Amino acid sequence: MIGVFDSGVGGLSVLAEIRRELPSADLLYFADQGRAPYGVRTLEEVAAMSGEVSQWLLDRGADVITIACNTASAAALHQLRARHPDVPFVGMEPAVKPAALNTTSGIIGVVATAATFQGELFASVVQRHASGATVLTTACPTWVELVEWGEIDGPQARGQIEQCLAALLEGGADTLVLGCTHFSFLVPLIEDVAGPDVAIVDPGPAVARQVRRVVGDTDGGARLILASSGDPDLLRERAGQLAGIEATEPVLACVWNGG
Ligand code: DGL
């Protein structure tokens, strides 16, 4: 069983890609909606929460874990690999490398959470892969909320996107890296605001291919279980609305400290 988690519904964008790569795999997705958003918390808090969620997934039979959250990957990927040496963890990192290969202006824009930008992972990715480029960054916490509330179009969403992209576009970015899994659901609007000359790099499909490399061509029963530490009905609704995902079983509710 492949365990997948995020602070909320953003990781459903990665889950949908994993399902495309591995249609018969058994998948268990955990949305920590009772404690979302992660991106405005400290890296220490996010690391502790990621540890609890990972243990929850392992206790329910996950044998591989995909951290479908850039913030949690920045805060906890190394720790989790060290704590569970027998469990393969696949994490997210901002796709600065393909962006550096794509840019012609030499200016890359990265949108992510504040916590992701604070992590060592981001600095090291930029240093390793984009030392010759200018990397402009903007934290967009309101985009996470838009997606959690299912507001992926309309004037309010457009206004928030225009506001967050303004400095990056005025700064000459011709390539935009989506450094938060929630943002994949805003791609049509982001494309519209950024215009046809700006390329958008979403690492979701590449991460799903990595999951496939790690697990091999698994033959499962195509079970798809969703779990939330918030409102399970809301998760079910968003999964359908945002990602066309329907669980094969009733959505599980998790209450922290209560099991
Ligand atoms: N989806 C998450 C990410 O990829 C985090 C969003 C949040 O909870 O702030 O970073």
Side-chain angles (χ1 to χ4, degrees):
M1 170 113 71
I2 303 173
V4 182
F5 78 90
D6 179 38
S7 62
V9 297
L12 292 169
S13 60
V14 180
L15 185 74
E17 296 294 343
I18 295 174
R19 223 169 152 216
R20 253 188 285 281
E21 282 293 324
L22 295 162
S24 69
D26 292 325
L27 301 168
L28 171 58
Y29 181 87
F30 190 94
D32 201 2
Q33 290 169 298
R35 306 190 294 193
Y38 279 3
V40 295
R41 294 181 179 274
T42 65
L43 291 169
E44 291 72 25
E45 280 179 305
V46 177
M49 291 173 182
S50 303
E52 283 179 319
V53 175
S54 298
Q55 193 58 56
W56 191 96
L57 292 168
L58 293 171
D59 291 345
R60 278 151 193 85
D63 43 22
V64 176
I65 293 185
T66 304
I67 308 179
C69 174
N70 292 74
T71 309
S73 299
L77 181 58
H78 291 308
Q79 287 176 29
L80 289 170
R81 283 182 173 151
R83 191 180 307 160
H84 304 283
D86 300 335
V87 181
F89 280 86
V90 177
M92 315 279 312
E93 65 176 30
V96 167
K97 186 179 179 181
L101 295 171
N102 179 73
T103 182
T104 48
S105 70
I107 304 169
I108 298 166
V110 184
V111 281
T113 68
T116 293
F117 289 132
Q118 282 154 24
E120 279 169 27
L121 183 64
F122 182 68
S124 97
V125 166
V126 170
Q127 195 187 20
R128 277 183 285 134
H129 301 302
S131 50
T134 300
V135 180
L136 306 176
T137 62
T138 301
C140 312
T142 55
W143 293 13
V144 175
E145 283 171 38
L146 288 171
V147 175
E148 284 297 318
W149 290 108
E151 288 184 35
I152 56 168
D153 48 28
Q156 194 185 340
R158 172 178 279 275
Q160 297 292 353
I161 287 169
E162 283 171 350
Q163 200 179 328
C164 275
L165 289 186
L168 304 179
L169 298 175
E170 281 160 23
D174 67 351
T175 307
L176 200 59
V177 176
L178 304 187
C180 171
T181 52
H182 280 74
F183 301 170
S184 304
F185 294 120
L186 296 169
V187 163
L189 257 190
I190 295 171
E191 278 177 343
D192 211 41
V193 170
D197 298 334
V198 175
I200 293 168
V201 185
D202 180 353
V207 169
R209 288 194 295 275
Q210 177 61 13
V211 173
R212 183 179 182 159
R213 274 191 288 272
V214 168
V215 301
D217 284 325
T218 130
D219 237 355
R223 289 173 73 199
L224 201 162
I225 306 168
L226 301 177
S228 176
S229 61
D231 180 350
D233 291 333
L234 200 63
L235 177 59
R236 192 185 52 239
E237 195 185 312
R238 288 288 171 272
Q241 179 209 350
L242 297 171
I245 283 174
E246 207 177 313
T248 55
E249 297 169 34
V251 179
L252 301 175
C254 159
V255 180
W256 290 120
N257 302 323

